[in-house]
Amino acid sequence: MPNTIRAAGALTALEGAVGVVVAIIFIVRAATGADQHVVNGYGTAAWLAILGGAVLAAGIGLSLGKRWGRAIAVIANLLLLPPAWYMITSHQPFFGIPLGLIAIAGLVCLFAPPSSRWMAAGYEFSGE
């Protein structure tokens, strides 16, 4: 397994872990009586826990050499680019730039030539 896949797995696991941590924060915030009028903390937490958990699992899977994690990692990183751009252009570059750089780094690792060869090796035809 190439190092680019290990790096992509680590970045993807980090993204998923952040999602799960934010879900926990929303649950604690809602349980302590925060105003639920604007944002439903429990619903948002459930959504983030499901998606963050899937991304975390994909990152761990990639780190362990499981090819199934690549598709989830690609989609997750592609979906992180628009919010990163929005944050950068909405005077929040402190959050948007690191998010965008992590997403781009993940995509670069996922589509690097060694990563592509590794993925293709899983689909080699035996010739029978």
Side-chain angles (χ1 to χ4, degrees):
M1 179 173 61
N3 288 333
T4 53
I5 290 295
R6 284 188 184 91
L11 289 172
T12 303
L14 173 68
E15 294 163 358
V18 168
V20 171
V21 168
V22 171
I24 293 168
I25 291 169
F26 274 129
I27 290 170
V28 170
R29 195 172 163 269
T32 58
D35 183 20
Q36 299 289 309
H37 179 67
V38 177
V39 176
N40 182 333
Y42 295 115
T44 304
W47 181 81
L48 277 171
I50 292 167
L51 290 179
V55 172
L56 177 60
I60 293 170
L62 274 176
S63 296
L64 297 174
K66 306 296 182 190
R67 287 177 171 82
W68 59 263
R70 185 174 186 250
I72 297 169
V74 167
I75 291 169
N77 283 296
L78 286 174
L79 289 175
L80 285 174
L81 291 175
W85 180 254
Y86 175 77
M87 285 188 263
I88 291 168
T89 59
S90 297
H91 309 292
Q92 295 293 327
F94 182 74
F95 298 110
I97 291 173
L99 178 62
L101 290 175
I102 289 170
I104 290 170
L107 289 169
V108 166
C109 288
L110 289 165
F111 288 105
S115 299
S116 296
R117 284 191 296 273
W118 177 76
M119 275 301 292
Y123 297 102
E124 288 183 355
F125 183 63
S126 65
E128 293 180 14

